[in-house]
Amino acid sequence: VSRRRRLITSGRVYEIGFRVRVGIPFPPNDVINLILMSVIARVQRDFKVTVCHIIWMGNHVHIIVIVRDAEE
């Protein structure tokens, strides 16, 4: 199923949320946390966003970001 393309504007705040399949929790161990945080750090560097807050729940995550350069 395709979704409509969203308009991203520089300097605006966005919430990103995603979840795992039903019944499969995010594994709460140090290795997985290190991998996830390294992915977020790479996104900040490569895609010109500022990560403000991250809330990891049992089966989903909420991330608040500010887009620095929408053209990227």
Side-chain angles (χ1 to χ4, degrees):
V1 176
S2 64
R3 295 182 176 168
R4 290 185 309 157
R5 186 180 177 107
R6 292 182 173 90
L7 175 65
I8 305 296
T9 305
S10 296
R12 301 230 18 215
V13 177
Y14 294 92
E15 179 181 3
I16 301 168
F18 56 90
R19 60 187 168 144
V20 296
R21 291 183 180 208
V22 174
I24 302 175
F26 281 126
N29 63 40
D30 292 338
V31 174
I32 296 301
N33 289 339
L34 182 64
I35 291 169
L36 293 172
M37 293 310 248
S38 68
V39 167
I40 291 169
R42 181 100 185 231
V43 166
Q44 280 193 127
R45 185 191 74 190
D46 293 347
F47 294 107
K48 310 300 185 239
V49 299
T50 300
V51 177
C52 299
H53 296 286
I54 303 170
I55 300 174
W56 296 101
M57 305 301 278
N59 64 348
H60 67 284
V61 64
H62 298 273
I63 304 172
I64 306 296
V65 300
I66 299 172
V67 176
R68 289 185 276 167
D69 186 2
E71 295 299 319
E72 284 287 323

